[in-house]
């Protein structure tokens, strides 16, 4: 990484400060609705664990769908390609919580990052580990070096109370035999998974294995190089809901967003980036986060293209 990285982040933060129209926080999860859309943080983690940051880069926020990347990686590390018999790898073109495609595709979700697909991955990880959300939390703590990471029980409870659509997705897939655990137990695991609180620094570090081609922070192998490539590829094509094409066009990196306002992005072989700002666009992606990543790849020249 260039030695001028910190000035680049400072410049991006100054530009974001003047950005008009910062979007609105997710209001369908009441525990997230009160977040301030003017807040902004950004962190970059190098392969050796060195982290640079700006703004609210150490402020914990609700990771939400960003955690789907880590459960996908953990499941792939345990069962490998068998997972792809139960979930696809194609963009959905529909909202992340849509039921539309499941019926005519026989209960097989289009990809692991829409809610239906993430439910399948969590279900399979639950079968393999007996505690999917616990396995996720242990992994995030180890990779970030932050053993204080935990679940936000208020957010988990809020999602449970407003989780009818996810329950419908899970029951529908169960009717096709694509869910193995009892749906209430699966939903509890899924909502806890989404409620993990972490900062930009934590998530940039935790995603480092994707920039290191599957190698964890301690030097052990989580994924083969080929499977790390698979995860990055699905992030590029499916990681930002139904705006993945626009994100690839603007940013040019594999990325995964969450409705808490965070986005992680990977520069394979170089670094990982995490941005956070709670104001979302109509597709559920952070307005300031996408703009900041756009500027990052433009100013540094770091892109997969």
């Amino acid at each position: 990484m260039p030695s001028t990285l910190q000035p680049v982040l400072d410049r991006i933060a100054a530009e974001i400060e003047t950005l008009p129209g910062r979007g609105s926080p997710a209001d369908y999860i009441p525990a997230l609705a009160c977040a301030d859309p003017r807040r902004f943080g950004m962190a970059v983690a190098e392969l050796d664990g060195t982290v640079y940051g700006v703004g609210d880069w150490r402020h914990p926020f609700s990771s939400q769908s960003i955690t789907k990347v880590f459960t996908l990686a953990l499941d792939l590390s345990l069962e490998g390609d068998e997972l792809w018999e139960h979930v696809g790898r194609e963009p959905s073109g529909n909202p992340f919580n849509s039921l539309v495609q499941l019926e005519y595709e026989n209960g097989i979700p289009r990809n692991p990052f829409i809610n239906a697909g993430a439910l399948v991955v969590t279900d399979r990880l639950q079968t393999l580990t007996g505690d999917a959300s616990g396995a996720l939390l242990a992994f995030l703590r180890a990779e970030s070096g932050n053993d204080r990471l935990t679940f936000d029980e208020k957010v988990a409870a809020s999602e449970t109370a407003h989780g009818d659509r996810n329950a419908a997705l899970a029951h529908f897939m169960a009717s096709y035999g694509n869910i193995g655990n009892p749906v209430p137990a699966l939903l509890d695991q899924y909502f806890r998974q989404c409620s993990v609180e972490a900062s930009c620094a934590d998530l940039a570090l935790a995603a480092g294995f994707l920039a290191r081609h599957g190698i964890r922070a301690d030097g052990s192998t989580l994924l083969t190089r080929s499977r790390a490539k698979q995860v990055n590829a699905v992030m590029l094509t499916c990681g930002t809901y139904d705006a993945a094409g626009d994100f690839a066009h603007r940013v040019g990196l594999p990325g995964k967003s969450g409705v808490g306002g965070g986005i992680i992005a990977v520069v394979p072989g170089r670094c990982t980036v995490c941005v956070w700002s709670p104001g979302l666009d109509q597709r559920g992606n952070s307005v300031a986060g996408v703009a900041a990543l756009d500027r990052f790849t433009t100013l540094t020249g770091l892109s997969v293209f």
Side-chain angles (χ1 to χ4, degrees):
M1 292 294 296
S3 59
T4 56
L5 184 59
Q6 187 63 54
V8 169
L9 296 182
D10 293 337
R11 176 177 172 180
I12 291 170
E15 293 180 5
I16 294 300
E17 186 64 29
T18 64
L19 184 72
R22 297 283 284 268
S24 302
D27 58 5
Y28 66 94
I29 302 173
L32 302 181
C34 61
D36 180 1
R38 300 296 304 179
R39 299 197 75 162
F40 173 79
M42 185 171 188
V44 180
E46 296 180 322
L47 301 184
D48 65 0
T50 302
V51 188
Y52 304 87
V54 70
D56 297 312
W57 65 297
R58 292 197 179 277
H59 181 79
F61 61 90
S62 188
S63 300
Q64 292 296 312
S65 289
I66 292 175
T67 59
K68 295 173 182 177
V69 171
F70 302 104
T71 53
L72 172 61
L74 287 170
D75 186 86
L76 278 174
S77 74
L78 295 172
E79 70 168 329
D81 289 344
E82 185 177 344
L83 171 65
W84 302 121
E85 298 175 14
H86 301 270
V87 63
R89 299 184 291 263
E90 296 292 337
S92 69
N94 286 310
F96 59 86
N97 59 355
S98 174
L99 288 129
V100 171
Q101 289 169 327
L102 278 176
E103 184 165 13
Y104 61 81
E105 293 183 350
N106 300 313
I108 304 295
R110 190 63 72 89
N111 67 68
F113 294 149
I114 55 175
N115 286 15
L119 284 163
V120 168
V121 175
T122 300
D123 175 67
R124 299 188 68 77
L125 188 61
Q126 176 69 12
T127 297
L128 291 165
T129 67
D131 182 9
S133 60
L136 166 70
L137 186 61
F139 179 82
L140 292 174
R141 285 175 171 176
E143 297 305 291
S144 69
N146 183 359
D147 60 7
R148 298 183 303 279
L149 292 184
T150 190
F151 306 109
D152 185 328
E153 300 295 349
K154 181 180 178 182
V155 170
S158 183
E159 295 201 56
T160 299
H162 298 82
D164 291 339
R165 178 65 66 97
N166 286 310
L169 290 166
H171 281 294
F172 194 81
M173 291 185 294
S175 75
Y176 281 94
N178 202 22
I179 294 293
N181 291 281
V183 169
L186 167 59
L187 291 172
D188 178 66
Q189 289 287 325
Y190 179 73
F191 292 138
R192 285 174 66 77
Q193 164 191 320
C194 291
S195 77
V196 171
E197 271 205 326
S199 69
C200 292
D202 295 325
L203 291 170
L205 286 167
F209 71 96
L210 290 170
R212 294 187 293 268
H213 307 296
I215 304 301
R216 296 186 60 167
D218 65 1
S220 63
T221 299
L222 177 71
L223 298 174
T224 64
R225 190 182 184 100
S226 177
R227 291 202 174 114
K229 178 192 70 176
Q230 290 177 357
V231 176
N232 280 326
V234 178
M235 287 174 67
L236 181 67
T237 58
C238 308
T240 45
Y241 308 123
D242 53 336
D246 183 63
F247 185 83
H249 174 82
R250 290 186 62 184
V251 176
L253 294 174
K256 182 71 195 85
S257 59
V259 295
I263 307 173
I264 58 171
V266 180
V267 186
R270 299 297 295 272
C271 64
T272 50
V273 189
C274 183
V275 292
W276 171 64
S277 186
L280 309 179
D281 61 23
Q282 292 185 339
R283 291 173 169 176
N285 298 310
S286 171
V287 173
V290 173
L293 289 168
D294 182 356
R295 292 300 291 150
F296 178 79
T297 54
T298 298
L299 292 170
T300 63
L302 295 174
S303 168
V304 297
F305 301 111

